[in-house]
């Protein structure tokens, strides 16, 4: 049974910046809006504290020693694409803003930023992170179930997704209609789907690889 948003863990907010004074300022600002946050003065410190199995919203500086904010974004896109990222920079330009947004960032704010603008962005980020986490979790669970299928069952499922009836699938794969229907029944059972139609809808919704 799919998760709902109420079952998602609380979103954790991180402020990742090598400027300690700025971190304290942001922490005070977010606290005034009843938003708790964890301060990290480097990308490495963040990665040590971060739990990829929970939703997270980052206020992330672009330029930092060792690992930059954009490099951390690349890393997170590999291990936790559900994270909501709000970039902040005193050296931002249009190209950098566009590239980070294309890579999935929620927002890009230039320092010094308007306090209310940052609060609004973080509040939105908290909600977005929860939604992203929910979708990512559902996609991952569905992928795990698809991986339980045999190669033959995957072949049948690919053709079902194309909208082909059992008779056409049988001719295409050189088997009887009865055998196709057996495969369909097994696919439904292995994926815990309410119906083949529901399974196909979820595969297309979450863009899960089948072949």
């Amino acid at each position: 049974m799919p998760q709902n948003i109420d079952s998602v863990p609380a979103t954790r907010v991180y402020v990742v910046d090598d400027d300690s004074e700025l971190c304290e300022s942001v922490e005070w600002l977010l606290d005034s809006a009843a938003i708790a946050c964890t301060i990290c003065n480097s990308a490495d410190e963040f990665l040590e504290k971060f739990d990829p199995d929970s939703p997270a919203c980052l206020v992330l500086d672009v330029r930092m020693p060792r690992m930059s904010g954009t490099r951390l974004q690349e890393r997170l896109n590999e291990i936790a694409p559900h994270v909501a990222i709000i970039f902040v920079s005193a050296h931002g330009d249009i190209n950098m803003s566009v590239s980070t947004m294309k890579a999935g960032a929620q927002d890009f704010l230039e320092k010094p930023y308007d306090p209310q603008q940052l609060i609004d962005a973080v509040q939105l980020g908290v909600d977005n992170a929860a939604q992203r986490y929910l979708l990512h979790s559902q996609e991952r669970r569905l992928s795990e179930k698809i991986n339980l299928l045999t190669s033959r069952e995957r072949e049948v499922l690919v053709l079902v997704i194309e909208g082909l009836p059992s008779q056409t699938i049988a001719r295409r794969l050189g088997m009887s209609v009865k055998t196709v229907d057996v495969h369909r029944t097994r696919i439904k059972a292995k994926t815990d789907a309410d119906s083949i139609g529901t399974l196909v809808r979820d595969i297309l919704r979450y863009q899960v690889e089948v072949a």
Side-chain angles (χ1 to χ4, degrees):
M1 186 174 180
Q3 273 184 305
N4 58 58
I5 195 67
D6 293 331
S7 66
V8 174
T11 300
R12 191 170 180 180
V13 177
Y14 297 85
V15 178
V16 187
D17 198 311
D18 62 317
D19 186 334
S20 298
E21 290 185 3
L22 184 138
C23 286
E24 291 177 4
S25 173
V26 173
E27 183 177 25
W28 178 88
L29 177 64
L30 295 181
D31 185 64
S32 71
I35 301 173
C37 67
T38 300
I39 300 298
C40 302
N41 292 128
S42 70
D44 289 333
E45 182 182 353
F46 164 75
L47 290 172
E48 289 176 0
K49 296 179 178 180
F50 174 60
D51 177 6
D53 292 323
S54 295
C57 172
L58 272 66
V59 178
L60 178 60
D61 188 25
V62 172
R63 299 177 186 272
M64 293 185 294
R66 292 174 59 83
M67 185 186 296
S68 67
T70 52
R71 180 66 189 91
L72 177 57
Q73 181 187 33
E74 293 174 5
R75 178 79 176 115
L76 289 174
N77 282 342
E78 296 172 356
I79 65 173
H82 55 277
V83 171
I85 299 178
I86 301 162
F87 274 107
V88 293
S89 176
H91 311 283
D93 58 34
I94 293 177
N95 289 337
M96 184 181 296
S97 174
V98 170
S99 65
T100 56
M101 298 290 278
K102 282 185 175 180
Q106 173 190 300
D107 212 337
F108 191 103
L109 306 180
E110 290 192 40
K111 301 176 183 177
Y113 36 75
D114 176 78
Q116 189 59 51
Q117 186 180 17
L118 178 62
I119 290 174
D120 291 344
V122 171
Q123 289 174 332
L124 179 60
V126 167
D127 292 338
N128 284 345
Q131 291 286 351
R132 290 185 182 190
Y133 175 85
L134 178 61
L135 291 174
H136 178 68
S137 298
Q138 291 172 336
E139 176 189 350
R140 183 174 56 186
R141 283 198 302 275
L142 182 55
S143 294
E144 290 170 352
K145 291 175 180 178
I146 294 298
N147 287 336
L148 298 175
L149 303 180
T150 65
S151 58
R152 199 55 159 173
E153 288 164 350
R154 284 170 179 261
E155 288 179 330
V156 171
L157 182 55
V158 167
L159 297 179
V160 169
I161 293 172
E162 290 181 13
L164 301 181
S166 293
Q167 291 87 345
T168 303
I169 294 174
R171 288 197 301 271
R172 186 80 64 88
L173 298 180
M175 61 177 68
S176 68
V177 174
K178 183 177 180 180
T179 301
V180 171
D181 289 338
V182 168
H183 282 309
R184 290 171 66 108
T185 298
R186 288 176 177 169
I187 291 168
K188 178 176 175 292
K190 286 184 177 181
T191 57
D192 296 321
D194 293 333
S195 68
I196 290 295
T198 299
L199 175 62
V200 170
R201 180 202 65 193
D202 289 343
I203 289 172
L204 295 176
R205 178 184 181 187
Y206 302 122
Q207 300 181 343
V208 173
E209 187 68 33
V210 174

